[in-house]
Amino acid sequence: MRKPLVAGIAAAAALILVPGVVSATASAQAPAASPQHHAPREQGLSTIGTSGWQVLTTASVKDGGDRVSQPGYATKGWLPVKSDDAGAPGTEINALVQNGKCPDVFYSDNMRKCFGYVDKLGPVTTKPFSDPWWYRTDFDPGFAKGKNGKLTIPGIVGEGDVWVNGTLVAGKDVVSGAFAGHTFDVTKLLKPGKNTLAIKVYPNNPLTMYTLDQVDWGQIPPDNNTGIQYPPTLQLSDALTGDNAHVVQDNAADLSTSSLTVKVDVTNNAGSAQTGDVTATVNPPSGAPIVVKQSVKVPAHAKQTVTFTPAKFAALKIRKPQVWWPYSMGAQPLYTLDTSVAQGGVVSTSSSDTFGIRTVTSKLVGKSAPLPQGSRLFAVNGKDFVFRGGGFAPDLFLRYDKADTAHQIALIKNMGLSGVRLEGHDMPQDFYNQADRAGLLVIGGFLCCDAWQPEDASKLTDRDYRIMHDSAYSIAQRERNHPSVFNYGWSDNEPVARQESETLKAFSEADFQVPVIASAEYKSTPTLGVSGEKEGPYDWVPPAYWYDTSHFDSGDSSRTNAGGSWGFASEQSAGHTVPTLDSIKRFLSPEEQAKLWQDPAYNQYHANFEPDHGGYAFGTLYTLNNSITQRYGKWDSLESYVESAQVANYENTRSQFESFIAHSTDKDNPSTGVVYWQLNKGWPTLLWSLYNDDGDQPGAFFGAKKANAPLHAIYGYDNGSVTVANLGGGTQAGVSVRAKVYDTAGKVLDDQTAKNVSLNSQGVVTGLLKPKVPAETKAPAKAQVYFVELQVTQGGKVVDRNVYWLSTQKDVVDWNKTLGEPQATLSQYSDMSALRDLPKAQIGVESSTKHVAGPDGADTATTVTVTNTSKTPSVGFFLRADVRRGTASGGVASGDSQLAAATWDDNDITLWPGESQTLTVTYRSADLHGAPAVISVDGFNTGNVVVPAARGYGHHGGHAVRPPAIEGTRE
């Protein structure tokens, strides 16, 4: 987020990791028929803390590290903490929550009541978090005499003193930074049996430490996320230790070959030269493994990089490699690199990791007045594409959950998004492993608005630059083998000169082969050149805003808050998202619910800590609510407010994504990518999200999903023409697009069809049709609301439906007052209040269910056919379907009945009399908790219909006669 920043080691310690990187060339090949190679367990490597941690503030511990880190130290009264799915104990607040200190911590303002309140970034000021805390754990690694042990601390959110068995290994002068990994030789400190690691963690201050924070994305945890987010590890070995194994790729431009260079660092822990055998095995997704081996002699107490090159080992030049693709373009075959270091036939250490063969490139295209050096365009395996993603946020307390990650990836792919952007929150390894397997792209990068964005380079010290370097090296090591990671960069500002050189040096040392971007704004460095990206807006703008391609502030070279569909928008959205009523009731108190619809100026705790509106204050929903009132009319209850907000959010997210797709073909000023700010939050939210942390999918979700359908027709808010896009991996031929215009009474005003359209993968065809719509009006003339329905057919089947509700009175942006601001000022709002006067429509619902495997562990699929059965020409507007826990009599169970984690192939649909659409929803039967499943369907101007999911039919407003069904979009 886009605000200016206000502005001794023990003798046993030895090795400190140096940063490393892999390049934008990642390996790949065609779809694999056989299962992926199963990686063996890494020899001698163990995660410390798997049996749990004991955590407590130092204010309650009189002893120092020399005693706290002794095996058998009494920890009665300490907080027992289980590690998360990443193997880490997490933050101080997590320790308290695990021990029942704040039940239902995310409900209402419980976190504030339990732990205090923070309203700005800075040092920790709240007790008990303003004191250091102890994290200690006992472990038995199987150490024996003659073995060597190396302890890796992969980063501390804050700073730390590291103790092992009563001895200080390293102090906070060295162990500082959330991502800066350090490895220490602890051989002389280890003993057979039980050992103890204790870390004294000092409070995180993101303004002075190279750590992480929540910026203004929500509430700031009062502990500033102080703690351990990645697990410490211990590597046991004989005289020789192998580590840092990875692959460097050199792929042919046409991917006909991939030349792999394998590197392994070998350290001699002995006092005399040692000889050993290093073996590397490249296991393809299918086919025979490639095994290479060489002997190495390493001098005493030295490290040597053993390199296997295609020049010496011809088998490492792979012909017709199996290439990794993003999921929308192809398959995701993964290779496995296994390495071992042995002496006398006895393996000392081994490693195993996956990688994908693929090539990432980027370039600047479309020099124009707003972007004088062009816009950033990315390509994977030589195929240009418009990146469409969202800003990803981890759990608010940095708790990692594999199943939650899998579910979120399923939601992201369900929306059709290309991937995610991680700003300053590099994730545990499992996140990238899942992204690799899912074909989801990941943009990595540093945070804004804190120490990572220095305002005055003269105040930086050699220690600052060392931490920057070590952080970059560790990040590169963790992410270089992952084909999902396809670029890395800085946020609001470009780096200062030495910050850039230390980072790029580290990336090079670690063989990190991805494009590096100077800034998320339109800024540059002499080394990296111009970024080709821009940021903003962050608060409400009308749907038509996104289609603008001509307005920008010539006095602001960063192009911030000039958010139309041109260039690469690294972060932008129309602000607040209102969840469904089901979700709202899970986290807002009755008082907060009342404020939501009655007091738009109220600072909602689940927005953020900025109590105002306008400018960079996002703590209220005032701007969104005002726009809904102006455009749709006033609501009279929480239910009618939430209903209106669903419609408004859907309309806006759809327009944002569609505009960047439609304008991608503009050679003079192309749109090349868009990152919705934000995709999600690590807690329940009202601000910047496409889905809530409970899995709830509101109107914003389905608007984005509609825009990113694989074969999709778009109506342009700028010129009223129709575009069709193929966002899939194959060519689409024989495509027809039909456009119909209706008035609110159901009369067809225009009906046009374009036939025999062909589109290549990622292809976009503009100007197919221009529907005839009612003439524009201006206030005080009476506005007319009308609908435009687009249908895409192929092979006689409807594969995409897209319905727009529009007004003859348009939104008019006052650009003089809008440019440079994170929200729009309008001289005229579109008037769609006539939607409130739509006549009641009648709908019928029919369902059937079968047990089939689906994404994210789903085992049940229900098809739901919704029919507009009205006998008068009444549109059924914005029809929402949900799976719910039911009763034996076929009704909805009391309480929280919605299956929020269910995923739909379409929703929030609009139908005219005689039309029907079949939707498919997948879900886990276990989520029903033994209750029967029912389907509820409700609309803007219909009653609620509930039918049993197993096989049911219901209607509202009279007996229904089933017309032919329109098939729902299948993705």
Side-chain angles (χ1 to χ4, degrees):
M1 252 310 304
R2 321 320 49 166
K3 293 192 268 192
L5 174 66
V6 182
I9 204 165
L15 304 174
I16 296 180
L17 289 180
V18 187
V21 183
V22 166
S23 125
T25 324
S27 337
Q29 179 172 335
S34 61
Q36 298 283 340
H37 170 78
H38 179 70
R41 185 178 184 277
E42 298 188 343
Q43 175 91 2
L45 182 67
S46 60
T47 297
I48 296 177
T50 55
S51 61
W53 293 73
Q54 302 85 45
V55 178
L56 195 62
T57 170
T58 58
S60 299
V61 182
K62 295 180 180 179
D63 297 320
D66 57 334
R67 297 193 63 187
V68 171
S69 64
Q70 291 285 0
Y73 180 79
T75 56
K76 183 178 180 180
W78 286 51
L79 301 170
V81 174
K82 294 180 180 178
S83 296
D84 64 13
D85 285 353
T91 66
E92 294 161 357
I93 286 182
N94 174 57
L96 292 167
V97 170
Q98 276 199 29
N99 284 274
K101 301 299 182 182
C102 192
D104 208 357
V105 64
F106 287 162
Y107 179 76
S108 185
D109 66 342
N110 282 356
M111 183 171 70
R112 170 166 50 190
K113 293 171 182 173
C114 293
F115 304 125
Y117 187 65
V118 180
D119 62 1
K120 62 181 178 182
L121 291 181
V124 177
T125 58
T126 305
K127 291 286 188 179
F129 311 115
S130 53
D131 295 310
W133 281 50
W134 279 111
Y135 282 71
R136 73 176 305 282
T137 185
D138 297 324
F139 62 100
D140 182 354
F143 181 77
K145 186 176 180 180
K147 289 288 186 180
N148 294 274
K150 290 182 171 58
L151 170 68
T152 295
I153 305 297
I156 298 287
V157 184
E159 297 178 334
D161 296 335
V162 178
W163 296 77
V164 172
N165 294 341
T167 299
L168 178 66
V169 174
K172 64 186 179 71
D173 56 327
V174 170
V175 182
S176 178
F179 310 106
H182 299 285
T183 294
F184 307 102
D185 189 338
V186 293
T187 303
K188 295 179 180 180
L189 305 181
L190 296 175
K191 49 189 163 185
K194 183 184 291 185
N195 294 260
T196 299
L197 168 68
I199 304 176
K200 187 178 183 179
V201 179
Y202 293 83
N204 176 32
N205 181 353
L207 297 185
T208 60
M209 300 175 184
Y210 299 94
T211 52
L212 53 80
D213 55 74
Q214 303 293 329
V215 200
D216 57 357
W217 304 345
Q219 294 299 337
I220 300 171
D223 65 351
N224 266 356
N225 285 137
T226 302
I228 302 172
Q229 67 169 341
Y230 305 134
T233 59
L234 184 73
Q235 176 71 66
L236 295 183
S237 70
D238 298 322
L240 296 180
T241 304
D243 70 350
N244 198 30
H246 61 283
V247 169
V248 181
Q249 301 174 33
D250 182 10
N251 299 329
D254 62 358
L255 291 163
S256 58
T257 63
S258 178
S259 297
L260 305 181
T261 297
V262 178
K263 296 183 179 182
V264 184
D265 289 347
V266 180
T267 300
N268 180 3
N269 306 292
S272 60
Q274 297 288 315
T275 300
D277 295 318
V278 182
T279 303
T281 304
V282 176
N283 292 281
S286 60
I290 300 167
V291 182
V292 292
K293 181 187 292 187
Q294 61 178 294
S295 295
V296 60
K297 185 175 183 179
V298 186
H301 300 300
K303 177 186 286 189
Q304 188 169 313
T305 298
V306 177
T307 303
F308 299 87
T309 66
K312 292 185 178 180
F313 301 90
L316 290 174
K317 183 173 183 179
I318 300 174
R319 287 168 173 76
K320 296 183 179 179
Q322 301 182 52
V323 178
W324 186 96
W325 288 92
Y327 75 92
S328 63
M329 302 183 198
Q332 295 78 50
L334 294 173
Y335 288 72
T336 302
L337 172 66
D338 297 329
T339 70
S340 65
V341 177
Q343 286 184 285
V346 178
V347 173
S348 174
T349 62
S350 65
S351 70
S352 183
D353 203 359
T354 58
F355 65 95
I357 294 177
R358 60 96 177 96
T359 301
V360 177
T361 54
S362 78
K363 58 187 175 183
L364 295 171
V365 298
K367 293 181 179 181
S368 61
L371 298 176
Q373 296 184 63
S375 172
R376 180 66 55 185
L377 177 66
F378 292 97
V380 175
N381 301 329
K383 183 179 288 293
D384 295 340
F385 72 105
V386 177
F387 179 85
R388 295 157 287 107
F392 186 91
D395 175 79
L396 191 64
F397 304 149
L398 306 184
R399 300 168 296 188
Y400 185 74
D401 184 315
K402 290 181 179 180
D404 179 66
T405 295
H407 180 56
Q408 293 198 59
I409 288 176
L411 290 175
I412 294 165
K413 292 180 67 172
N414 182 267
M415 275 189 286
L417 299 183
S418 314
V420 301
R421 178 185 169 205
L422 299 174
E423 183 183 359
H425 283 270
D426 297 77
M427 298 296 289
Q429 282 299 293
D430 177 77
F431 180 92
Y432 300 101
N433 290 337
Q434 290 201 43
D436 292 345
R437 295 193 297 268
L440 200 71
L441 293 171
V442 178
I443 297 174
F446 303 105
L447 261 175
C448 82
C449 317
D450 59 14
W452 291 105
Q453 186 174 294
E455 298 291 322
D456 185 353
S458 67
K459 295 181 179 179
L460 299 179
T461 66
D462 287 344
R463 179 178 182 269
D464 290 316
Y465 290 119
R466 175 182 61 77
I467 297 172
M468 291 178 186
H469 174 278
D470 293 351
S471 299
Y473 185 83
S474 300
I475 288 168
Q477 276 194 319
R478 286 192 283 261
E479 299 178 24
R480 64 189 170 193
N481 283 344
H482 294 288
S484 55
V485 179
F486 82 110
N487 75 81
Y488 209 92
W490 280 269
S491 186
D492 294 8
N493 291 352
E494 74 280 18
V496 300
R498 188 174 168 189
Q499 179 185 23
E500 177 186 50
S501 64
E502 292 287 353
T503 300
L504 295 181
K505 176 186 175 185
F507 283 178
S508 176
E509 290 167 344
D511 294 322
F512 196 28
Q513 295 175 278
V514 298
V516 179
I517 309 302
S519 172
E521 297 182 358
Y522 204 71
K523 297 177 180 179
S524 64
T525 70
T527 302
L528 295 174
V530 72
S531 69
E533 300 185 0
K534 63 176 184 174
E535 296 180 340
Y538 302 95
D539 206 345
W540 189 81
V541 298
Y545 173 102
W546 303 115
Y547 277 84
D548 178 75
T549 59
S550 60
H551 291 93
F552 64 96
D553 181 357
S554 60
D556 178 10
S557 60
S558 75
R559 299 303 186 249
T560 300
N561 292 324
S565 49
W566 46 274
F568 188 104
S570 62
E571 53 181 62
Q572 59 168 207
S573 74
H576 298 81
T577 298
V578 177
T580 66
L581 192 58
D582 290 286
S583 185
I584 285 170
K585 290 180 177 180
R586 293 183 188 118
F587 70 96
L588 292 187
S589 68
E591 294 77 15
E592 289 167 325
Q593 293 176 37
K595 290 288 189 181
L596 190 62
W597 69 279
Q598 294 175 348
D599 186 0
Y602 177 71
N603 183 190
Q604 289 281 352
Y605 187 70
H606 283 269
N608 75 2
F609 51 84
E610 298 161 327
D612 208 340
H613 63 272
Y616 284 94
F618 307 111
T620 80
L621 280 70
Y622 182 92
T623 309
L624 171 65
N625 289 0
N626 179 61
S627 73
I628 296 173
T629 301
Q630 296 283 352
R631 300 174 83 246
Y632 288 98
K634 187 63 181 172
W635 51 84
D636 58 9
S637 65
L638 175 63
E639 290 75 14
S640 64
Y641 166 74
V642 172
E643 186 175 57
S644 299
Q646 302 306 301
V647 174
N649 282 156
Y650 181 109
E651 178 193 21
N652 214 306
T653 59
R654 176 178 61 179
S655 178
Q656 182 179 347
F657 283 107
E658 287 186 341
S659 66
F660 275 81
I661 295 168
H663 286 165
S664 62
T665 61
D666 183 349
K667 293 183 179 179
D668 296 327
N669 192 19
S671 52
T672 56
V674 56
V675 178
Y676 187 89
W677 205 251
Q678 291 172 287
L679 176 74
N680 70 316
K681 290 293 197 305
W683 78 322
T685 187
L686 298 168
L687 176 63
W688 301 327
S689 65
L690 292 175
Y691 55 86
N692 218 341
D693 87 319
D694 57 1
D696 179 67
Q697 300 146 50
F701 178 96
F702 289 109
K705 175 178 172 59
K706 178 58 65 178
N708 290 287
L711 186 58
H712 180 59
I714 297 167
Y715 179 79
Y717 280 79
D718 52 348
N719 58 18
S721 68
V722 174
T723 294
V724 65
N726 172 21
L727 304 179
T731 298
Q732 298 292 337
V735 175
S736 295
V737 181
R738 185 180 186 184
K740 297 174 73 176
V741 181
Y742 298 84
D743 64 16
T744 54
K747 180 181 178 182
V748 177
L749 305 179
D750 189 46
D751 189 348
Q752 301 181 30
T753 300
K755 298 181 178 180
N756 297 321
V757 180
S758 294
L759 301 99
N760 294 326
S761 171
Q762 308 301 305
V764 176
V765 176
T766 60
L768 275 179
L769 300 168
K770 189 162 187 178
K772 297 175 183 177
V773 300
E776 183 176 345
T777 59
K778 292 187 178 296
K782 183 176 176 59
Q784 178 184 352
V785 170
Y786 58 96
F787 298 91
V788 175
E789 179 192 30
L790 304 180
Q791 290 188 9
V792 178
T793 58
Q794 190 178 37
K797 296 181 179 180
V798 176
V799 295
D800 179 61
R801 290 185 71 249
N802 196 6
V803 176
Y804 299 80
W805 45 100
L806 303 159
S807 174
T808 56
Q809 181 174 306
K810 307 298 183 184
D811 292 305
V812 180
V813 175
D814 185 334
W815 289 103
N816 289 331
K817 295 180 179 179
T818 296
L819 287 174
E821 296 296 328
Q823 59 281 116
T825 297
L826 272 61
S827 59
Q828 175 179 278
Y829 286 87
S830 181
D831 181 358
M832 289 188 282
S833 57
L835 290 171
R836 294 200 176 277
D837 299 323
L838 289 174
K840 289 294 182 183
Q842 301 168 3
I843 57 172
V845 180
E846 187 171 6
S847 63
S848 63
T849 296
K850 58 184 178 181
H851 296 289
V852 292
D856 186 35
D859 58 9
T860 306
T862 298
T863 57
V864 181
T865 300
V866 184
T867 306
N868 185 332
T869 60
S870 302
K871 296 180 180 179
T872 58
S874 302
V875 63
F877 179 55
F878 214 72
L879 305 171
R880 161 87 187 204
D882 281 291
V883 185
R884 300 187 179 277
R885 298 176 192 92
T887 64
S889 61
V892 174
S894 60
D896 184 4
S897 63
Q898 183 202 41
L899 269 62
T903 54
W904 294 81
D905 67 352
D906 200 359
N907 217 327
D908 292 336
I909 63 174
T910 296
L911 299 169
W912 279 267
E915 281 190 333
S916 68
Q917 183 168 339
T918 297
L919 313 175
T920 300
V921 58
T922 58
Y923 51 97
R924 294 184 292 264
S925 58
D927 291 345
L928 293 166
H929 303 159
V934 297
I935 303 296
S936 68
V937 180
D938 199 1
F940 199 84
N941 63 326
T942 71
N944 187 38
V945 178
V946 177
V947 300
R951 182 167 293 278
Y953 180 68
H955 59 274
H956 183 274
H959 184 69
V961 177
R962 289 287 315 285
I966 295 175
E967 294 196 3
T969 304
R970 308 262 175 160
E971 299 182 27

